[in-house]
Amino acid sequence: VQLQASGGGLVQAGGSLRLSCAASGGTFSRYGMGWFRQAPGKEREFVAAISLSGGNTYYSDSDSVKGRFTISRDNAKNTVYLQMNSLKPEDTAVYYCAAKNGGSYYLTSLSSRYVMDYWGKGTQVTVSS
């Protein structure tokens, strides 16, 4: 499956962005999906994951995203979203979407980037103070 993330940009602190990740080349509803981010000089970190149907979600334990980010998916549109509110300068990073084939795993396992099967190229999010 091919993944294309979009929706990044420059936003002021306190603002919002909605990232989209469009999938092609596979049956989207058969993939667990996740969002990760990588800031300059840092390792890629988990942000959020969503189950095949969208009925279950899982977020980073980090206080930095809890309550501010929401992951969702539209299987009819082959797209997963990340709604980001109350953005902070520390949210500045390249955001990547990723897919895990099948559903025979715990959703929490998608928090590991080594588990994911496919990756998009990423979209830059820059939050100014």
Side-chain angles (χ1 to χ4, degrees), residues 77-115:
K77 296 182 178 180
N78 293 348
T79 303
V80 62
Y81 305 97
L82 185 68
Q83 177 67 43
M84 306 186 295
N85 298 327
S86 302
L87 283 162
K88 305 174 182 180
E90 50 263 44
D91 294 319
T92 295
V94 177
Y95 283 72
Y96 299 89
C97 61
K100 171 66 178 174
N101 195 7
S104 299
Y105 47 80
Y106 290 109
L107 184 60
T108 54
S109 69
L110 298 191
S111 63
S112 169
R113 63 184 186 268
Y114 303 108
V115 167

